[in-house]
Amino acid sequence: MNVDQLKKYREEAYNHLTLELLPFWESRCVDKENGGYITHFDNNGNDSGEDEKSLIAQTRTVFTFSSAHRAGYGQGRYAAIAKHGVDFLISKMWDTENGGFYWLMDRKGNIKIDEKIVYGLSFAIYSLSEYTLATGDPIGLEYAEKTFELLQVYGADTYYGGYFEMFTRNWELKGEGSAGGDRKTLDAHMHLMEAFTTLYEASGKQVHRRKLNEIIQLLINKIMHPVYGTGIPQFWADWTVAPQIKFDIIWGWDRFSEDGSKSSAEDNTSYGHNVEFAWLLMHALDICGISYDDYNSQLLQSFDHAIDHGIDWEFGGVYVEGSHAGAVYDREKEFWQQAEVLIGMLDAYRIYGDVKYLKAYDSTHRFVFDKMIHHKVGEWLPLLTRQGEPIWKHMSHSWKVNYHSVRSMVQSIIRLDKLLSNA
C-alpha cells in the first residue's frame, strides 16, 4: 500500500467536497420563497428554470445535507438546510388523506403527479432516517416509519415476496406494461435495502431489522443472477425474469428506443449497480452486526464482475452496462456509476486486500477528477464518452442531483481514513 498515494486521494476528495461540491449546493439549492430545494442547474451552475420539485430530488438533497452534517461538515449549517427540506416534504409532499409522499410537485408545492412510487418512497425512508440520525430531530424517523408501515400494508407482496412498486394516489396498484404494476425491479429493492438499513440504524426496532434481512435474502436469491451473481434489472411479479422496458415513471429513459423497448432487454446488468449493491450490503451487515463470511461469494462476484468487464483500463472509469457473461454493451461513462465504484472498490480493497481493487479505484478516481468534475463550477458532468468528452453538460436536474456525488466523497474519505489508520 502506497500511503502517500492514499493521502493524495484523500486530499483531492476532501478539497473537492469542501471547496467545490458542498459549496455548489449550499449557495444555490435552498428555495427561500417556496420552501424545499431548487435542483435544476445548467452547465454554468445557473438555475435552468424547470418548474418542478420531485420526490427524488427533494429527498436526496435532504439526505445529502443530513449525511454531510453527520460526517462533521458545515459547522451546523447543513443541519439547518436539511431541516428546510424536511419541512417542505412534510408540509407539501405528504398526502394527509391517503398517506405517502407524492411523486412530483411544481416549485410552489402544487401537485403535478400524485402517484405513490416505491422508488421515491425508499428515498423518503432513507433520507428522513438519516436526518434523525444526523440531528436528533424525531420528526424524520416518525415519517420514515409511517412510510415503511404503508409499504407493508399496500406494497408488500405476501405471496411471492418483495414489493410492488407503482401505485395511484390511493394505493391502488397501477396497470400492466409501462404503467409498471406487473413488474418488480432491482433498482427499487436495492434502494429499499439501503433505506431499511438506515431506518433500523435510527429506530433499533426488530421489525425493521427483520424486513431488512428479508430484502437482503430476496436480493441475493431472486434478483442476482444464479450463475454470475450480477443484478437482473426487471422481473414479473413471480420473480421470473422480464424483458427490461421503459416505465411511464422511471430513470433511464434515454437508454431505451422510442417504443420503450431495450436492446439486450433480457441480458443486461449495470456495473455500477452491482458494485453499489455490494457496498450497501456490507454496510447493512455492519449495521446488523452480521459477519461477511456467509456473503463473501456474492460480494466477490459483484466486485469482480466489474473489475473483469466494467472498468475501462485504457481510458479510466467504469462503463454503463453489459451482459451477465461479460460483453460490454455501453461504453459511455455516467456520473453515478463512477461515484458508486469509488466507494465500493475502497471497501473491497479494505476487506479483501487485493491490489486489483485499489487499481480499479485509481482508474475511476483519476477519470472522475480529471474528466467528470466540472471544477470551475463545482459539480459533476452527467454523461461522457468513453474517452471523457461531455455528452450531457447540465449540472443537475430531478435525477442528477447531489446524492451520488456528495455521498461518494463523504464515504470515500471515511474509507481512506480507515485504510490510512491501518497503514
Side-chain angles (χ1 to χ4, degrees):
M1 185 192 303
N2 186 326
V3 173
D4 289 339
Q5 188 62 52
L6 293 177
K7 288 180 178 178
K8 183 180 178 182
Y9 296 145
R10 190 201 187 279
E11 181 181 14
E12 283 187 286
Y14 182 83
N15 288 341
H16 172 52
L17 177 65
T18 59
L19 302 178
E20 297 174 342
L21 196 51
L22 286 170
F24 175 93
W25 288 100
E26 181 179 1
S27 65
R28 289 169 172 81
C29 75
V30 175
D31 186 341
K32 296 178 181 178
E33 180 180 356
N34 299 304
Y37 306 115
I38 296 167
T39 56
H40 292 71
F41 301 103
D42 65 17
N43 183 256
N44 295 315
N46 298 319
D47 181 357
S48 50
E50 285 87 342
D51 186 22
E52 64 178 49
K53 286 177 177 169
S54 70
L55 181 59
I56 288 296
Q58 298 300 306
T59 54
R60 285 178 167 181
T61 305
V62 167
F63 175 84
T64 290
F65 283 103
S66 298
S67 63
H69 173 71
R70 189 180 173 196
Y73 300 98
Q75 299 177 313
R77 301 189 310 276
Y78 297 157
I81 296 174
K83 184 181 187 303
H84 179 83
V86 170
D87 290 345
F88 182 83
L89 282 172
I90 293 171
S91 66
K92 295 292 188 179
M93 301 196 80
W94 180 260
D95 182 347
T96 57
E97 181 180 357
N98 300 292
F101 291 97
Y102 301 120
W103 179 251
L104 189 68
M105 321 291 286
D106 67 15
R107 287 201 178 190
K108 292 183 178 180
N110 301 305
I111 301 166
K112 294 182 76 171
I113 298 177
D114 63 7
E115 295 174 1
K116 309 297 167 56
I117 309 299
V118 168
Y119 187 94
L121 298 174
S122 73
F123 278 97
I125 296 171
Y126 186 44
S127 65
L128 291 167
S129 299
E130 182 72 19
Y131 171 73
T132 292
L133 285 164
T135 67
D137 185 347
I139 195 73
L141 182 57
E142 177 187 342
Y143 277 83
E145 290 196 75
K146 285 181 179 181
T147 307
F148 170 85
E149 288 159 6
L150 287 163
L151 287 183
Q152 307 315 312
V153 172
Y154 296 111
D157 182 348
T158 57
Y159 190 79
Y160 290 113
Y163 295 83
F164 295 105
E165 300 181 19
M166 307 286 192
F167 297 89
T168 65
R169 178 174 184 167
N170 64 355
W171 293 98
E172 291 181 0
L173 189 62
K174 292 177 67 177
E176 299 177 350
S178 64
D182 59 347
R183 304 282 182 121
K184 295 170 181 171
T185 67
L186 159 66
D187 215 356
H189 286 78
M190 183 182 72
H191 288 302
L192 285 172
M193 177 181 72
E194 167 186 70
F196 292 177
T197 299
T198 308
L199 177 62
Y200 173 59
E201 185 181 5
S203 76
K205 290 185 177 179
Q206 194 268 346
V207 65
H208 299 149
R209 180 189 176 99
R210 190 173 76 246
K211 292 297 180 181
L212 170 58
N213 279 315
E214 284 180 11
I215 211 159
I216 288 171
Q217 299 310 316
L218 182 78
L219 281 156
I220 292 172
N221 296 314
K222 297 289 188 183
I223 295 178
M224 297 297 138
H225 194 285
V227 175
Y228 300 105
T230 44
I232 300 169
Q234 287 184 20
F235 299 83
W236 302 112
D238 64 358
W239 295 107
T240 55
V241 177
Q244 192 177 7
I245 61 168
K246 172 188 170 184
F247 296 138
D248 296 335
I249 296 177
I250 196 64
W251 165 238
W253 60 268
D254 56 288
R255 304 284 177 199
F256 293 82
S257 65
E258 290 183 3
D259 66 0
S261 64
K262 184 169 186 172
S263 60
S264 306
E266 295 186 61
D267 179 26
N268 67 89
T269 192
S270 163
Y271 307 110
H273 268 157
N274 293 332
V275 175
E276 183 180 15
F277 164 72
W279 83 255
L280 287 172
L281 173 59
M282 294 170 84
H283 178 60
L285 296 172
D286 288 342
I287 295 301
C288 290
I290 297 172
S291 169
Y292 300 154
D293 290 351
D294 292 338
Y295 298 89
N296 279 332
S297 176
Q298 174 62 64
L299 291 167
L300 288 168
Q301 281 185 305
S302 298
F303 289 129
D304 288 351
H305 187 272
I307 288 279
D308 294 339
H309 308 294
I311 299 295
D312 184 348
W313 296 107
E314 182 179 357
F315 292 103
V318 59
Y319 302 127
V320 170
E321 66 182 21
S323 74
H324 296 285
V328 181
Y329 297 151
D330 188 339
R331 295 179 185 270
E332 292 173 345
K333 311 288 173 62
E334 201 164 10
F335 73 102
W336 69 265
Q337 288 97 338
Q338 319 305 313
E340 300 308 319
V341 165
L342 288 175
I343 303 171
M345 290 303 160
L346 287 176
D347 262 346
Y349 179 63
R350 183 173 62 87
I351 298 303
Y352 298 110
D354 193 321
V355 72
K356 68 182 181 182
Y357 300 123
L358 191 59
K359 289 179 179 177
Y361 172 83
D362 179 77
S363 171
T364 309
H365 178 102
R366 284 272 52 88
F367 185 85
V368 167
F369 278 81
D370 295 344
K371 301 288 188 179
M372 186 155 274
I373 296 171
H374 190 347
H375 288 283
K376 183 178 178 181
V377 177
E379 245 290 351
W380 298 23
L381 291 158
L383 186 68
L384 309 181
T385 65
R386 180 187 179 191
Q387 293 79 10
E389 295 299 318
I391 298 172
W392 298 343
K393 298 182 180 181
H394 56 271
M395 291 291 94
S396 177
H397 59 38
S398 280
W399 285 101
K400 195 270 175 189
V401 283
N402 39 52
Y403 149 77
H404 287 288
S405 55
V406 173
R407 186 175 71 169
S408 179
M409 293 299 98
V410 169
Q411 294 300 320
S412 292
I413 290 166
I414 289 171
R415 284 152 179 79
L416 287 165
D417 282 342
K418 289 179 179 179
L419 287 166
L420 286 165
S421 70
N422 293 325

